[in-house]
Amino acid sequence: MLDIVLWFVVMGLFVLSFAGLIFPIIPSVLVIWGGFLVYYFGMNNETLSIYFWIPMIFLTIVLLVADIIVNSHYVKKYGGSKWGERSAAIAVIVGSFIIPPFGIMILPFITVFLVEMIQEKSMEKSFKAAFGSLLGFFGSTFAKIIVQFVMIIWFFLDIFINIS
């Protein structure tokens, strides 16, 4: 009976991790790890192998830095300055706490636009760099969806392989 309850908790945490893509206040990767740890400590601490844990640490790092790196990359790719890149990175972090889930899209866009305008760029160039921040958000969100699915599928495969 307890195993059934714990499986519901694990599955609930995995589903909640995807809600973190819409509501960035929810730390998606930590919620996924919550599911891993509930399974490991609550149900079976022998099935998850080292071939599971090491890649999960790597993928966790990828997820944690995805927003900042991808957003800055797209700002640069669309003509933004170093200050535009830096402001985009800061705005992603601050935006996740302001008007979730829209703050993570709106604040970097506005911030990059204003920073580029202050640097005396044309409205068109400033808008293009700001648009890059939006593309960065969508790109990093897509990447996080893929990585989270990989982590969860890997979890089940590792359990299945080691139980068999």
Side-chain angles (χ1 to χ4, degrees):
M1 181 64 178
L2 180 60
D3 278 355
I4 294 171
V5 170
L6 290 176
W7 271 116
F8 274 109
V9 170
V10 168
M11 298 306 290
L13 288 169
F14 289 166
V15 169
L16 184 62
S17 74
F18 288 98
L21 299 172
I22 299 167
F23 300 103
I25 196 84
I26 299 170
S28 297
V29 71
L30 298 180
V31 175
I32 288 176
W33 272 84
F36 297 162
L37 296 175
V38 166
Y39 175 81
Y40 183 80
F41 290 111
M43 296 194 295
N44 189 338
N45 63 359
E46 296 176 5
T47 56
L48 296 174
S49 70
I50 193 75
Y51 301 106
F52 170 78
W53 292 112
I54 290 174
M56 290 309 112
I57 291 168
F58 172 75
L59 291 173
T60 298
I61 293 167
V62 168
L63 284 174
L64 290 173
V65 299
D67 278 335
I68 295 168
I69 290 174
V70 173
N71 204 317
S72 293
H73 167 75
Y74 275 96
V75 169
K76 181 179 179 180
K77 182 178 178 177
Y78 281 81
S81 64
K82 284 286 183 196
W83 283 106
E85 288 179 61
R86 293 176 187 134
S87 67
I90 294 167
V92 164
I93 295 166
V94 174
S96 66
F97 296 103
I98 300 173
I99 328 166
F102 304 107
I104 199 167
M105 292 181 284
I106 296 168
L107 193 60
F109 180 87
I110 293 169
T111 303
V112 170
F113 181 79
L114 292 174
V115 165
E116 298 299 332
M117 287 296 289
I118 289 169
Q119 294 185 62
E120 299 180 7
K121 289 195 174 180
S122 70
M123 180 141 347
E124 182 181 335
K125 287 182 179 180
S126 299
F127 182 80
K128 188 175 178 185
F131 180 71
S133 75
L134 279 177
L135 290 179
F137 168 76
F138 290 119
S140 69
T141 299
F142 179 73
K144 289 190 293 187
I145 289 169
I146 300 294
V147 172
Q148 285 181 215
F149 269 121
V150 166
M151 291 174 79
I152 292 168
I153 290 167
W154 198 322
F155 169 78
F156 286 110
L157 287 174
D158 202 64
I159 290 171
F160 178 73
I161 289 168
N162 289 317
I163 287 178
S164 301

